[in-house]
Amino acid sequence: MKSLTSRRARAIVVAVAAGSLVLTACSENKGNTSGTDSKKDQKKAAQQSKAITYADAAASTGPAAEVAGAKSGGTIEVYQEAGLSHLDPGQIYVSDGGQVANLIYRGLTNFQEDGKGNMSVVGDIATDAGKSSDGGKTWTYTLKDGIKDQNGNEITSADVRHTVERMYAEFIFDGPNYLQTWLSGPKYREQLKDGGFGKKHLPASVLDTPDDKTVVFHFDKPRPDLPQMLAMSGYSIVPEKTDTKEKYDKAPVSLGPYKISEYKVGKALKLVKNDQWDPKTDSVRHQYVDGWNFDFGVTESTQTKRLIADQGGSKNAIQFTGSVESTQIQDVITDPAVNKRTIKGYQPYVMVLNFNLDRVKNKKVRDAVTYAVNSKSLIAGEGGAYGGDPAPNLFAPTLPGYEAKYDPYGRLKTPSGNIEKAKELLKDVPASEKKLVFAYRNSENEQKRKVALEDALSKVGIKVVGKEIDAASFYEQIGKVKNPYDIYVTGWGQDWPSAGTVVTPIYDGDQIADGSPNYSHVNDPKVQELIKKALSEEPTAAQKTWQEAHHYILEKINPAAPLWYAKQFQLYGSNIGGARYSTESSYIDVNNLFLKS
């Protein structure tokens, strides 16, 4: 994203009571400064919390601040192992789709960052971050002039209403559901079963569009985090005239600086300049390069080899959401010329081994697995200290309310696994319950994880039966409530800096459905009670309630064994300019990139 200009001084600082914090990356591109000292990295992640700002019209007006030394022209090559799960914005809830969304979509709001840990929410197609009234229960947005889609159609409030309402449709199953549940409750689909494609719309008392330029959201309780939530890729605008429902996933329409010229699912994606994008309306994005060529199916080891060699087209290439392959990390960090072409940072993700509670019903088995798993071995496959740190619990160091010493299963004392404790728990467990079906992606990294898990669990008498899944559809497959798997590795990071965006989406029983990130199918009355309580409290009190919920979930239910906290370590070619770590995406910041020559 962009560096902030002097307009930032006129931005509106969000009150601490809104609970809006942002945490910076553990390091910028300054050589070998991340990954060698885990305690220091975590301390930085915790110390660098800063109040976020909700920006006014001045800070939301384009063009974006120029990147030093930036030039125009050329095409960036993108190396990516797995294909994209979705391109329909409403279906985007994973990191690869979010990165692409930065290039081709726009929403009502967006995050703007300066590379120093300062972040604000600006108006994207809206004139500002939003105006609240009625104690924060009503939010009003005014659309900027001159916002058009790639076909030249001007975006109006009807398109915003359509974007929201289509999220109620049955064919939208993989995206976020915050806005829908805030507006219409957990059974929101029943309120608008056809997703607004018929004659029925949400009532004006919920979502009002009094004219072409105005959108008003009405909630039953204060929603101070709305501007941050609307900045999620999943709420990017889908123009009503060109919505093809299920088919939209393959040929979406752009509002951003680039548009799709060619898309071969799982193989290639080509982006070219969108001539209908007006930089004067955009304070976040640039259009420095002529296009982007995505090459899918390139393994992380191949990506790393090409980028270390830095020959030919690789000079213009980046890793998108992949990382430096673990066995080649020493080749990178010991060569100063290569190491300076890296992006390093602490990610918000906690990697866990999910238990399908509908199948792994015996808590002794879940506890035994949690004691037995070898975080050190798993992290070795990620690149050692450059890839992550052992996780003692389900909250990341980048999350407000993180408790570094909360370690109910002794993961920090025995990161290689407590085999004796696991065996003790399993001594009276029937043999039929000591066979677990493990779903894993068909990727290099996941193969390593499979071997590490099989090795650790076999030591305590648990047999692991591996079931390989295409990486592009992995989350869709494990997201099915009736999936045939017992365990699977997932990673979750906060959608914005609030524990509510961790506990609610993945442990709320009301949200168990196909496509829901409640991958373990947690449905517990006590958890529901604590979620309801936290959502009604001011942030200071809510933080304590979220911690109480966290403790109860991990100790009394144990739906997921914490494995490691993820770090990012990416490589790019020598002709790439403007490269930096994005706090918002936790990957290379695609909004600032250009080619040096």
Side-chain angles (χ1 to χ4, degrees), residues 350 352-353 355 363 366-367 370-371 391-395 403 405-411 503 507 522 527 530 546-563 565:
V350 182
V352 303
L353 181 65
F355 302 107
K363 187 173 182 290
R366 303 197 296 271
D367 288 353
T370 304
Y371 279 110
N393 58 62
L394 302 172
F395 278 9
E403 299 170 278
K405 296 182 180 179
Y406 176 53
D407 186 15
Y409 294 93
R411 303 296 303 142
V503 178
Y507 303 119
V522 176
V527 176
L530 290 170
W546 291 127
Q547 288 175 338
E548 182 183 352
H550 179 206
H551 288 212
Y552 180 88
I553 290 166
L554 188 53
E555 296 173 41
K556 302 301 182 182
I557 303 173
N558 191 13
L563 300 176
Y565 297 135

Side-chain angles (χ1 to χ4, degrees), residues 250-263:
K250 300 297 184 288
V253 172
S254 169
L255 273 68
Y258 298 93
K259 63 182 180 181
I260 298 170
S261 65
E262 181 184 336
Y263 183 38

Side-chain angles (χ1 to χ4, degrees), residues 7-67:
R7 290 177 297 191
R8 181 181 177 277
R10 298 194 291 274
I12 305 165
V13 177
V14 180
V16 174
S20 303
L21 299 174
V22 64
L23 299 119
T24 67
C26 71
S27 69
E28 291 179 67
N29 186 26
K30 297 177 181 177
N32 188 12
T33 59
S34 174
T36 56
D37 189 335
S38 297
K39 290 183 179 180
K40 185 176 180 181
D41 284 350
Q42 289 193 18
K43 189 175 180 180
K44 284 184 179 180
Q47 287 179 340
Q48 294 176 359
S49 300
K50 298 182 180 180
I52 206 167
T53 60
Y54 285 178
D56 61 10
S60 303
T61 301
E66 289 295 322
V67 177

Side-chain angles (χ1 to χ4, degrees), residues 15-279:
V16 174
S20 303
L21 299 174
V22 64
L23 299 119
T24 67
C26 71
S27 69
E28 291 179 67
N29 186 26
K30 297 177 181 177
N32 188 12
T33 59
S34 174
T36 56
D37 189 335
S38 297
K39 290 183 179 180
K40 185 176 180 181
D41 284 350
Q42 289 193 18
K43 189 175 180 180
K44 284 184 179 180
Q47 287 179 340
Q48 294 176 359
S49 300
K50 298 182 180 180
I52 206 167
T53 60
Y54 285 178
D56 61 10
S60 303
T61 301
E66 289 295 322
V67 177
K71 297 179 180 180
S72 297
T75 298
I76 290 179
E77 300 293 328
V78 178
Y79 296 149
Q80 184 76 348
E81 184 165 1
L84 300 171
S85 301
H86 295 287
L87 275 176
D88 184 327
Q91 302 274 51
I92 291 177
Y93 208 175
V94 293
S95 53
D96 54 0
Q99 280 280 77
V100 174
N102 277 320
L103 300 170
I104 60 179
Y105 300 134
R106 300 182 70 176
L108 280 171
T109 63
N110 203 346
F111 287 107
Q112 185 185 68
E113 54 187 302
D114 65 357
K116 300 177 182 178
N118 300 308
M119 188 181 292
S120 62
V121 177
V122 296
D124 194 353
I125 71 163
T127 55
D128 54 31
K131 292 181 172 62
S132 66
S133 56
D134 189 24
K137 292 191 287 187
T138 298
W139 283 85
T140 302
Y141 288 89
T142 302
L143 305 188
K144 293 175 181 176
D145 295 326
I147 304 291
K148 297 179 180 179
D149 67 19
Q150 68 183 58
N151 300 311
N153 299 315
E154 187 162 354
I155 300 301
T156 70
S157 61
D159 295 303
V160 178
R161 181 187 67 189
H162 175 73
T163 297
V164 175
E165 292 182 341
R166 73 190 299 272
M167 299 290 282
Y168 288 62
E170 291 290 342
F171 72 87
I172 298 293
F173 55 85
D174 257 2
N177 62 12
Y178 293 108
L179 184 56
Q180 305 93 291
T181 55
W182 289 4
L183 290 171
S184 304
K187 297 183 179 179
Y188 63 88
R189 292 193 195 276
E190 296 178 5
Q191 306 301 313
L192 196 65
K193 291 184 177 180
D194 67 356
F197 287 94
K199 294 182 180 180
K200 186 181 178 182
H201 295 286
L202 293 173
S205 60
V206 172
L207 175 59
D208 193 12
T209 52
D211 56 55
D212 285 349
K213 290 288 186 181
T214 307
V215 179
V216 186
F217 296 99
H218 297 283
F219 303 103
D220 61 354
K221 62 183 66 174
R223 296 294 184 181
D225 287 350
L226 181 69
Q228 297 178 78
M229 183 264 282
L230 290 174
M232 295 176 67
S233 300
Y235 294 113
S236 299
I237 301 302
V238 175
E240 186 173 18
K241 292 179 182 177
T242 51
D243 191 349
T244 53
K245 298 185 179 179
E246 292 90 342
K247 295 179 181 178
Y248 197 76
D249 217 2
K250 300 297 184 288
V253 172
S254 169
L255 273 68
Y258 298 93
K259 63 182 180 181
I260 298 170
S261 65
E262 181 184 336
Y263 183 38
K264 296 179 181 178
V265 178
K267 295 182 179 179
L269 172 69
K270 295 184 184 299
L271 305 181
V272 296
K273 283 187 175 182
N274 174 15
D275 61 5
Q276 297 297 319
W277 174 76
D278 184 353

